Amino acid sequence: MERTGSIALQPPTFGNLITVLSIDGGGIRGLIPGTILAFLESELQKLDGEDARLADYFDVISGTSTGGLVTAMLTAPNENDRPLFAAKDIKDFYLTHSPKIFPQKTGWLFPRARKIIRALAGPKYDGKYLHGLVREKLGDKKLNQTLTNVVIPAFDIKNLQPAIFSSFKVKNKPSFDALLSDICIATSAAPTYLPAHYFKTNGLEGKVREFHLIDGGLAANNPTLIAIGEVTKELIKGSSDFFPIKPMDYGRFLVISLGTGSSKAELKYNAHVASKWGVLNWLTSGGSTPLINAFSQASADMVDLHLSVVFKALHSEKNYLRIQDDTLSGEVSSVDIATQKNLDHLLRVGDGLLNQPVSRVNLETGKFEACNHETNKEALIRFAKLLSEEKWLRLARTPHGHIAKSH
């Protein structure tokens, strides 16, 4: 059979691996993983033809905040039942729309005063352009229609608990089968930046479910573990889509986890200063939002640390790839300074990451450190080959004539 990436990925039960792609939150810094994803998809196209798309190779794609938006772009179907966006289109999407989502105000003599007034008055941005854009692009597409399984977290401010929108969950909980546009707006509703999002859905027997949601980064800015957790629940239930393995056998997972960069190198707070902070300081100190930085950075690093240890313990380090840059500084570390200069800088950061060595977070120092001599580009080329081999192995093992969408 001629290889073409447009053939649907068969269930993992016909293969050897469970493939996971995860994308962190980070506002306009979504350009960084967007650059990485474009490279990975181009490598898959070299192997399987120009029609190849990332959704054709991953059992699960997860994303938080801006990563959730990218997840929807990569998995929502167009009129031909193919992904709405190719990975290479993500860059132009951000370059075109970020300045309108995050319009830059000028003319203030005292920018810090403006920040404080904004923090007191309400969200920094009204979100109207973002909401209209997302609804236009995603239309009436719902969670159950994605071309592969997706996992997108948000946080329910009314119930004070995470709300995980998962393709696996909608099978038994139809109240979570929301519009993809509502899910994207919700997971991107970062406190102090964009307004919280409310919507409702119909569950079993027409029972209405209400959602009062804010940014998924409060639950999991790095959603990799949530994605693996959703798969693990399917394994425990004995789903026919998955081969029988022990629920914690991460050695059978192939995971690519993409960060959006962080500013650890620059934003260093200390107890002497923080001990004097009030609410406004926690929201606006140092030209950033320390409270949100702490939440998002802690959750992302803990996920990377956990997975690094587990994959190493299972002698499967080469099955886990985390790509992150923790050396951002100045405007490029922001989530919303959408000037052309800054957006171009973010593109250069993404390109530069490809040539950096594969790294892991060191919890003692808090820094990312090289863990082998392989570059991220070399690792992605290797992963592309593994993903292609897994896809075609599954197809070869699929009973004759049984070629169907995997979920």
Side-chain angles (χ1 to χ4, degrees), residues 54-332:
L54 293 172
D56 301 325
Y57 297 87
F58 288 97
D59 297 305
V60 190
I61 300 180
S62 61
T64 296
S65 193
T66 197
L69 178 58
V70 172
T71 295
M73 292 164 66
L74 295 174
T75 61
N78 62 17
E79 63 277 5
N80 298 316
D81 211 30
R82 295 294 293 144
L84 194 61
F85 285 80
K88 64 180 177 61
D89 298 328
I90 294 172
K91 177 183 74 172
D92 289 338
F93 179 89
Y94 275 84
L95 293 177
T96 300
H97 299 292
S98 293
K100 300 173 185 177
I101 296 171
F102 302 114
Q104 303 301 294
K105 304 293 184 181
T106 58
W108 281 71
L109 294 176
F110 305 101
R112 176 165 172 75
R114 174 177 168 268
K115 274 183 173 289
I116 293 173
I117 292 171
R118 277 286 189 178
L120 288 171
K124 191 173 180 181
Y125 307 98
D126 61 24
K128 291 180 181 178
Y129 183 86
L130 173 64
H131 298 180
L133 176 66
V134 169
R135 295 199 187 285
E136 174 195 343
K137 297 297 182 184
L138 298 176
D140 60 356
K141 303 293 190 302
K142 300 183 79 172
L143 181 58
N144 77 84
Q145 295 174 274
T146 57
L147 297 172
T148 190
N149 299 296
V150 303
V151 177
I152 302 175
F155 189 83
D156 196 311
I157 194 66
K158 184 175 183 180
N159 297 322
L160 291 180
Q161 66 178 18
I164 310 301
F165 292 91
S166 160
S167 299
F168 303 109
K169 184 178 290 186
V170 297
K171 299 172 185 176
N172 301 311
K173 295 184 177 181
S175 62
F176 278 82
D177 191 22
L179 289 170
L180 283 172
S181 58
D182 278 325
I183 296 171
C184 287
I185 292 169
T187 193
S188 303
T192 76
Y193 289 95
L194 291 162
H197 187 53
Y198 167 83
F199 62 90
K200 54 187 178 181
T201 60
N202 292 319
L204 294 173
E205 300 178 351
K207 185 177 180 180
V208 174
R209 165 111 186 213
E210 294 186 335
F211 292 95
H212 302 257
L213 303 177
I214 59 176
D215 195 330
L218 291 179
N221 202 54
N222 175 348
T224 312
L225 270 183
I226 291 181
I228 293 176
E230 289 296 297
V231 171
T232 300
K233 285 189 284 186
E234 294 297 300
L235 293 169
I236 292 172
K237 290 190 297 186
S239 169
S240 60
D241 279 350
F242 295 90
F243 40 72
I245 64 172
K246 295 177 181 179
M248 295 304 289
D249 188 2
Y250 286 13
R252 299 293 292 274
F253 284 86
L254 188 74
V255 177
I256 298 177
S257 174
L258 303 180
T260 56
S262 73
S263 51
K264 285 185 180 180
E266 181 182 62
L267 295 178
K268 294 293 186 181
Y269 313 110
N270 62 65
H272 302 298
V273 175
S275 63
K276 301 179 179 68
W277 284 353
V279 173
L280 289 178
N281 300 103
W282 279 105
L283 293 177
T284 63
S285 290
S288 66
T289 311
L291 194 60
I292 294 177
N293 287 340
F295 272 117
S296 61
Q297 197 59 57
S299 67
D301 282 358
M302 288 303 293
V303 170
D304 181 44
L305 177 73
H306 174 80
L307 290 175
S308 296
V309 170
V310 171
F311 275 89
K312 185 174 183 179
L314 295 170
H315 306 290
S316 303
E317 299 102 313
K318 289 193 172 183
N319 279 20
Y320 172 61
L321 177 62
R322 172 69 172 170
I323 300 181
Q324 173 69 313
D325 185 338
D326 66 350
T327 65
L328 303 185
S329 62
E331 291 188 349
V332 76

